[in-house]
Amino acid sequence: MRIPASVPRTAPATVPASAQVSATETAALAASRAGVRIQPAEDLATLRLVSRFLADVWQTPASRSPLPPDVLRAFVHAGGAVHYARDEDGITAASALIFGPPASSAVYSTIAATRTSGHGVGFALKQAQRAWALDRGATTMVWTFDPLVSRNAHFNLGKLGATAVEYTVDFYGRIDDGVNTDDETDRLTAVWPLAEPPPGPRADFGSAELDPRPAPDGEPFTARDETGHWCRVPLDIVALRRQDQPLAAEWRAAVRDALLPVFDAGFTATGFSRSGWYHLTRKDPS
């Protein structure tokens, strides 16, 4: 597993006990508010249930789950963690993570999924992962996500406070499931500093100078102002893929062409506006 260059390579100081306690309390409160119980999955029977749940979310047969039970079992045996959230109706969310290279003090979240969005379950699941990782000395969590999925961008960058540091073309290769629908799997790499406080208000898209080139929907989708670059993505790419795959592919190409040179120039995605725009900035304007 390669950890992006922006993640520290030297082992940091031990995680303060206060940060661990705070993370545990935050995780417990988030789970309570979401009405779920979150715990590690360790026995094979539970891992099989988690694997089936992941297959349901990605709309594949159980035999083609994104993470089969044997792989989840290996993750746990190797010192990683599989978490799942349960309510009165059964499993409603699940995640898995493994440790990165020792010098990075990072964990890598290989998957995270919820049955529905907007109920706080996803936030509670990530907080459980965070508390688990901090308790074991990790200070950073890394994962990838599809840059076209706006709800994930808002959640990762806006709510959690992660930063997208890298754009990779066709990261996994084409995946034929009910979510990716055989589209190319471009991914952003998210880096989340686990011991830092939650993010404050971030810039929203306002009076930036619009680039005249149109998106596939005919409207401008890139802009720039004194704070950096902006790039708009579709409101619901998952639905668009089901309705019009060629149009979804056009969006993929347009956003890729817009974002790749910006990341290559040293910018990172530090926010995502309520109106669906990535905000890309860099610490050193030079």
Side-chain angles (χ1 to χ4, degrees):
M1 179 189 70
R2 186 178 68 82
I3 296 292
S6 58
V7 177
R9 287 304 201 274
T10 55
T14 302
V15 176
S18 59
Q20 296 178 28
V21 172
S22 175
T24 300
E25 292 175 345
T26 299
L29 180 60
S32 176
R33 287 176 173 171
V36 295
R37 180 183 178 189
I38 299 177
Q39 58 194 78
E42 298 175 336
D43 62 277
L44 186 55
T46 305
L47 293 170
R48 284 174 175 154
L49 292 176
V50 169
S51 182
R52 290 194 201 105
F53 168 80
L54 295 174
D56 287 344
V57 172
W58 266 267
Q59 302 170 38
T60 69
S63 59
R64 290 179 49 215
S65 173
L67 286 176
D70 58 327
V71 175
L72 295 175
R73 179 76 158 174
F75 282 6
V76 174
H77 192 240
V82 176
H83 287 90
Y84 70 105
R86 179 184 290 275
D87 61 15
E88 63 273 9
D89 297 320
I91 294 179
T92 186
S95 64
L97 57 77
I98 56 178
F99 276 92
S104 71
S105 293
V107 290
Y108 191 98
S109 181
T110 62
I111 201 166
T114 61
R115 191 173 299 281
T116 59
S117 60
H119 300 286
V121 179
F123 182 75
L125 186 67
K126 294 306 290 185
Q127 294 303 325
Q129 284 190 305
R130 172 176 174 252
W132 185 95
L134 282 169
D135 190 48
R136 288 156 180 80
T139 56
T140 304
M141 187 180 299
V142 180
W143 66 91
T144 64
F145 68 98
D146 187 338
L148 294 183
V149 181
S150 60
R151 65 176 180 268
N152 287 353
H154 178 267
F155 178 80
N156 294 332
L157 306 187
K159 193 163 187 178
L160 294 180
T163 298
V165 301
E166 184 177 61
Y167 188 110
T168 306
V169 174
D170 206 19
F171 186 90
Y172 295 108
R174 291 180 182 269
I175 301 175
D176 184 13
D177 59 24
V179 174
N180 294 285
T181 60
D182 205 31
D183 187 14
E184 291 180 292
T185 54
D186 290 18
R187 292 294 183 266
L188 291 175
T189 299
V191 176
W192 186 23
L194 301 177
E196 294 185 9
R202 297 191 176 184
D204 202 352
F205 183 75
S207 58
E209 181 180 353
L210 293 169
D211 187 322
R213 61 175 167 168
D217 62 3
E219 298 295 327
F221 76 114
T222 57
R224 186 165 188 180
D225 61 16
E226 68 279 0
T227 66
H229 292 264
W230 297 84
C231 181
R232 180 174 61 87
V233 295
L235 179 63
D236 190 345
I237 190 65
V238 176
L240 184 59
R241 286 179 184 138
R242 290 194 295 262
Q243 298 161 6
D244 191 336
Q245 282 190 311
L247 181 58
E250 288 182 36
W251 268 106
R252 169 75 66 207
V255 171
R256 176 191 293 170
D257 290 346
L259 288 184
L260 265 178
V262 178
F263 277 95
D264 289 344
F267 287 79
T268 59
T270 54
F272 191 80
S273 77
R274 296 179 182 88
S275 51
W277 292 75
Y278 281 101
H279 188 204
L280 297 107
T281 65
R282 60 180 174 186
K283 291 182 179 179
D284 181 7
S286 64

